[in-house]
Amino acid sequence: MARDYQKEYQTYHASEEQKKRRAARNKSNRIMNPGPGQDVHHKDGNPLNMAKSNMVVMSRSKNRAMNQRK
């Protein structure tokens, strides 16, 4: 079965909550300025918490592996 990207956007990505979370993740990337192959990890898992003590730059593979375990 093919993935319906248009429906996925309408039901999930277009919601106000997801727009705010995406904007917060983009802002954290501007603040922390990760290099190529790196992500910004939010220690408490909340991308809306923009405290520098809550964010750390780590390798993309390590960050995404951590997020899969939750």
Side-chain angles (χ1 to χ4, degrees):
M1 182 172 173
R3 187 169 168 180
D4 188 351
Y5 289 98
Q6 186 174 15
K7 182 180 178 188
E8 183 178 326
Y9 179 81
Q10 290 171 350
T11 59
Y12 181 74
H13 298 291
S15 71
E16 289 302 314
E17 178 186 2
Q18 290 307 316
K19 286 180 182 180
K20 288 178 184 177
R21 292 172 67 87
R22 182 172 57 246
R25 286 190 297 270
N26 290 340
K27 185 175 181 180
S28 69
N29 280 318
R30 286 192 302 271
I31 291 171
M32 299 300 287
N33 196 21
Q38 295 181 321
D39 278 347
V40 175
H41 173 67
H42 291 84
K43 295 176 184 176
D44 66 359
N46 180 7
L48 300 176
N49 182 351
M50 303 303 283
K52 280 199 173 190
S53 61
N54 182 49
M55 297 185 290
V56 64
V57 174
M58 63 173 51
S59 74
R60 183 174 292 156
S61 60
K62 184 176 179 183
N63 185 40
R64 294 181 186 186
M66 290 174 61
N67 293 335
Q68 289 295 328
R69 287 186 231 142
K70 290 183 180 181

